[in-house]
Amino acid sequence: MAGRELETLSQALARLPGFGPRSARRAVLHLVKKRESALEPLLAALQAVAENLVTCSTCGNVDTVDPCALCSDPRRDTRLLCVVEEVADLWALDRSRLFPGHYHVLGGRLSALEGIRPEDLGIDSLVRRVAVGGIDEVVLAMNATLEGQTTAHYLAERLDAFPIRLTQLAHGLPVGGELDYLDEGTLAQALRARRPVA
């Protein structure tokens, strides 16, 4: 059995997404075995992040600088704004390198069951960003859940008064998806969003 410190590290890793007790123990063993090449650089990186982590005051992203690297990037199109529920959604979209504009993180989605109201999210700061002007299009990139679509509908109502183009991510068939394996909701959305064959 490992000592108390190693067991504490293993338990801490097991609480991370994608890790269970066995994978956490394997990670600890790897870090111990590769102390100089894996453990020490990991410790240094964790310490640097812990000391410098901030939430971007402009978009809500997490970074080690404020404004974040995305908001500070002069190559980004300031006329485009993509609204997402969480930072993980922002990172997933930006990883695709297909959206050239800026982002806005709400910090969640409306949910009556969980008691999450509009004032609990970054909706007012979104409205202020749009009210300043200079934004031509707002893309609502909410998750395809009931709460996500409720949030998108609420945002559409709040942003209706502004002279912007309001768009939403397409929903439907995934690339490479087989009809037999898709749920009814995905199929229904794909049928509603059908378009002419070019």
Side-chain angles (χ1 to χ4, degrees):
M1 289 299 294
R4 188 179 60 200
E5 292 85 359
L6 291 175
E7 187 58 35
T8 301
L9 176 58
S10 181
Q11 290 172 359
L13 288 175
R15 287 192 292 270
L16 295 174
F19 277 87
R22 291 179 64 204
S23 56
R25 282 192 297 273
R26 283 195 302 271
V28 168
L29 287 172
H30 173 77
L31 291 170
V32 169
K33 188 175 181 180
K34 305 281 187 180
R35 183 177 183 148
E36 288 182 17
S37 63
L39 179 61
E40 291 173 8
L42 177 62
L43 287 172
L46 286 171
Q47 186 65 37
V49 168
E51 291 172 359
N52 300 305
L53 189 66
V54 292
T55 300
C56 179
S57 58
T58 304
C59 73
N61 187 18
V62 290
D63 203 338
T64 54
V65 292
D66 184 19
C68 71
L70 294 174
C71 289
S72 302
D73 188 346
R75 297 169 297 182
R76 293 205 166 257
D77 190 342
T78 58
R79 297 168 298 157
L80 301 175
L81 184 64
C82 182
V83 182
V84 296
E85 293 176 18
E86 300 287 354
V87 171
D89 303 325
L90 183 158
W91 288 4
L93 281 169
D94 200 58
R95 202 169 39 247
S96 73
R97 301 189 188 279
L98 296 173
F99 184 72
H102 287 267
Y103 293 93
H104 187 88
V105 180
L106 294 175
R109 60 182 172 252
L110 296 174
S111 175
L113 291 175
E114 297 172 20
I116 300 173
R117 302 162 304 170
E119 52 270 20
D120 299 324
L121 303 175
I123 295 174
D124 288 339
S125 59
L126 168 65
V127 173
R128 284 193 299 273
R129 282 181 82 179
V130 174
V132 168
I135 296 174
D136 295 337
E137 180 180 358
V138 174
V139 180
L140 301 178
M142 308 295 104
N143 289 314
T145 61
L146 179 61
E147 292 89 357
Q149 295 312 297
T150 300
T151 305
H153 182 73
Y154 180 81
L155 291 175
E157 288 179 354
R158 289 285 306 267
L159 298 173
D160 186 50
F162 298 101
I164 57 169
R165 181 171 172 237
L166 196 59
T167 59
Q168 184 173 336
L169 291 184
H171 300 287
L173 299 178
V175 174
E178 296 183 30
L179 295 178
D180 190 36
Y181 294 103
L182 299 176
D183 63 278
E184 289 81 14
T186 301
L187 286 171
Q189 186 63 37
L191 283 169
R192 281 195 295 272
R194 64 188 184 274
R195 54 188 166 74
V197 176

